[in-house]
Amino acid sequence: MTTQVRGVQLARLLGQWHALPGRRRSPDYAALAGAVRGLLADGRLPLGVRLPAERELAEALRISRTTVTAAYRELRETGHLASRRGAGSWTMLPGTHRVASTGLWTPLDDRDMIDLGVAALSAPAQLVPAARAAAEDLPRYLGGAGYHPTGIIELREAVARGYTERGLPTSPEQIMVTSGTQHALDLVLRLALSPGGGVLVESPTYPNALAALAARRARITTHGLSDDGWDADLLLGSIRQTRPKLAYLIPEFHNPTGHLMAADLRERLVGAAHAAGTDLVVDESFVDLPLDGTPLPPPVAVFDRHSRVISIGGMSKPYWGGLRIGWVRASAPQVQRLAAARVGVDMASPVLDQLVAVHLLAQAPAIVTARRAQLAAQRDALVAALAERLPDWRVTVPRGGVTLWAELDGPISSALARAAEEVGVRLAPGPRFGLDGTLERFLRLPFTLPAAELVEAVGRLAAVRYDLDRAGRPQWREPSVIA
């Protein structure tokens, strides 16, 4: 079923559309059409959504129906709206242009390259001692075959204990250890999503999640995030209208925007998902990284009474990406089904890596506290550098996580990424975090590198940005593989 946005919902998204730059030089219908195009370009209004009837939108905006009619006509002429008499009008982009969201960043051994494409920290000092301790523990496992499809019991107990301490009672039987969070998502999709099944995701969202969904040939619908995060009315309405099989969401310090979902919306979300028959896949990759003392709401699964919520997480963000340890938290029967599905992917996660994870989790308070202080300082350095060198860019300072979502001063994200590569800065441009070529006015900037490198990167970006306005025709080349 096609998602429909109601008049009051679209009016809320449009905001002060009549006060946009250039408004005084444009008639009302042109300003309204331009505002709708802006919502589409930013990903806040998804493609394939049915807009409200002309009369309904006119009443919501308190303008004449003639103005809305003219605006819809202009949107059809520019290729942003498709209409069929008696059926309504749907959002689109000119030429039905689409941009794929696949691929990974391939690290290069270039010491002069500042890599802002990967949002991950270097390893903590405690990793090497943890690896030595894990090697000493290994002999007690050597007498067996080494295959533990759901994970070794020590690690499952440690992960379950972490959920329990967050207010979500969990037993080891509800935990399955995986080879990273992405592996956890892939296994969940294999179990819960048939090819062609419907999935709701946020826009923007994590590019590798989109790649995993594309591999399952999922039918993706999106919920566009605003400056304030999730619009509860639109999000819950999308679930009720489209009734997707799955919804993939990142409620804790969302990647890439950094938003934190409020507790009341979490509860309503679970209720709407149960009523619609939708399973929620909740990515908790950043849950350990609140900054500035930000309190965390309860886990989404706290409100689950019908085994509708599957939580995934891992060690990559708070600890180290090279330690490929992730997990799934679900009901015990779901974990057993995931273990059976895993046989077609791999047999089990490495025992030695799991033992390293056990020792790191035992030191979690010290490690995570240091990580939070490090990230807060690096975030502040990045924000200050942007304010000084690129003051026209708009940034909402996140209360946690590892990334800034910057709104640029024009739809230049991809062009900027290509130009930045020439001066030794690797970027992940906005369109990689969405569908259909939108989000060109946005850029993800992680603050996981040392402050000095972040300041240097901003300096290089500022020089490149000003050069873009004077550059001639770009020299196109094959794009880098990005994640």
Side-chain angles (χ1 to χ4, degrees):
M1 180 184 296
T2 301
T3 303
Q4 179 175 2
V5 59
R6 299 197 303 272
V8 292
Q9 295 172 329
L10 183 54
R12 186 166 62 250
L13 288 175
L14 288 166
Q16 299 297 319
W17 61 273
H18 44 76
L20 295 177
R23 162 66 185 88
R24 293 184 179 180
R25 299 188 300 273
S26 303
D28 288 347
Y29 77 88
L32 178 56
V36 172
R37 284 193 294 267
L39 291 176
L40 289 169
D42 293 349
R44 286 179 287 165
L45 183 63
L47 302 183
V49 168
R50 188 166 64 190
L51 294 187
E54 296 170 0
R55 185 185 303 277
E56 180 185 352
L57 183 57
E59 292 176 353
L61 295 176
R62 297 181 180 179
I63 59 178
S64 71
R65 182 178 176 180
T66 302
T67 299
V68 177
T69 300
Y72 277 19
R73 182 174 62 249
E74 178 170 315
L75 290 169
R76 285 192 292 270
E77 291 172 352
T78 58
H80 292 84
L81 203 62
S83 300
R84 191 167 67 248
R85 185 178 296 277
S89 300
W90 291 265
T91 55
M92 58 183 290
L93 285 182
T96 62
H97 178 61
R98 295 185 66 85
V99 174
S101 301
T102 59
L104 297 169
W105 276 115
T106 303
L108 301 177
D109 295 327
D110 186 347
R111 294 181 181 273
D112 294 328
M113 180 67 71
I114 301 176
D115 192 350
L116 296 181
V118 176
L121 293 161
S122 57
Q126 294 90 338
L127 181 62
V128 172
R132 292 195 182 107
E136 295 177 0
D137 291 342
L138 186 60
R140 70 174 184 265
Y141 282 92
L142 299 181
Y147 297 122
H148 302 269
T150 59
I152 63 173
I153 185 62
E154 293 103 315
L155 183 52
R156 289 188 288 127
E157 287 176 342
V159 174
R161 187 160 52 249
Y163 278 105
T164 300
E165 291 171 354
R166 290 172 55 202
L168 179 61
T170 302
S171 68
E173 290 74 26
Q174 292 177 269
I175 300 297
M176 175 178 174
V177 177
T178 63
S179 299
T181 309
Q182 185 70 15
H183 181 219
L185 175 61
D186 182 76
L187 287 173
V188 171
L189 295 180
R190 287 172 182 266
L191 177 68
L193 185 67
S194 301
V199 179
L200 175 69
V201 302
E202 297 135 334
S203 178
T205 191
Y206 179 48
N208 285 352
L210 293 174
L213 292 170
R216 298 298 298 169
R217 302 196 300 278
R219 292 182 295 105
I220 301 176
T221 57
T222 59
H223 167 67
L225 299 185
S226 68
D227 293 341
D228 299 322
W230 298 263
D231 185 305
D233 190 23
L234 288 172
L235 174 59
L236 302 180
S238 294
I239 290 176
R240 296 186 187 106
Q241 290 181 43
T242 63
R243 305 180 72 87
K245 182 66 180 69
L246 290 178
Y248 169 78
L249 304 171
I250 312 174
E252 277 90 20
F253 311 117
H254 175 267
N255 183 9
T257 67
H259 292 308
L260 179 64
M261 184 181 288
D264 60 336
L265 179 53
R266 295 171 185 237
E267 184 173 11
R268 296 172 62 193
L269 175 64
V270 174
H274 173 61
T278 298
D279 292 326
L280 299 177
V281 182
V282 177
D283 189 335
E284 299 181 319
S285 294
F286 302 93
V287 72
D288 292 317
L289 298 175
L291 306 180
D292 308 323
T294 298
L296 283 175
V300 175
V302 162
F303 306 104
D304 184 26
R305 301 292 182 270
H306 306 280
S307 298
R308 284 289 180 193
V309 178
I310 300 175
S311 305
I312 60 176
M315 307 285 287
S316 296
K317 301 307 178 183
Y319 297 92
W320 187 46
L323 185 64
R324 302 310 302 150
I325 294 294
W327 51 76
V328 178
R329 186 218 178 261
S331 67
Q334 286 173 318
V335 166
Q336 291 304 310
R337 290 196 293 272
L338 283 168
R342 183 176 193 166
V343 175
V345 182
D346 66 350
M347 298 298 293
S349 297
V351 171
L352 184 58
D353 285 16
Q354 294 184 71
L355 290 171
V356 174
V358 169
H359 285 279
L360 288 175
L361 289 175
Q363 304 175 71
I367 295 174
V368 172
T369 298
R371 292 301 219 191
R372 292 171 181 169
Q374 174 189 354
L375 286 169
Q378 291 170 184
R379 177 202 61 189
D380 294 344
L382 178 57
V383 170
L386 289 170
E388 178 183 356
R389 300 301 303 275
L390 291 160
D392 292 334
W393 291 12
R394 193 160 65 91
V395 172
T396 299
V397 180
R399 293 178 292 164
V402 301
T403 61
L404 297 180
W405 186 238
E407 183 177 352
L408 311 182
D409 54 337
I412 59 170
S413 187
S414 295
L416 183 67
R418 288 190 296 269
E421 189 92 11
E422 301 296 335
V423 296
V425 179
R426 182 174 292 120
L427 300 173
R432 295 300 179 107
F433 300 85
L435 299 170
D436 306 294
T438 60
L439 303 175
E440 274 289 1
R441 291 197 308 113
F442 295 89
L443 181 68
R444 187 188 74 171
L445 295 171
F447 42 90
T448 49
L449 295 178
E453 292 188 38
L454 295 173
V455 172
E456 173 65 20
V458 172
R460 298 184 192 181
L461 290 179
V464 167
R465 171 65 192 98
Y466 298 129
D467 287 343
L468 280 181
D469 292 334
R470 299 190 298 271
R473 180 179 294 274
Q475 297 297 315
W476 299 102
R477 65 178 187 271
E478 290 296 318
S480 301
V481 184
I482 294 181

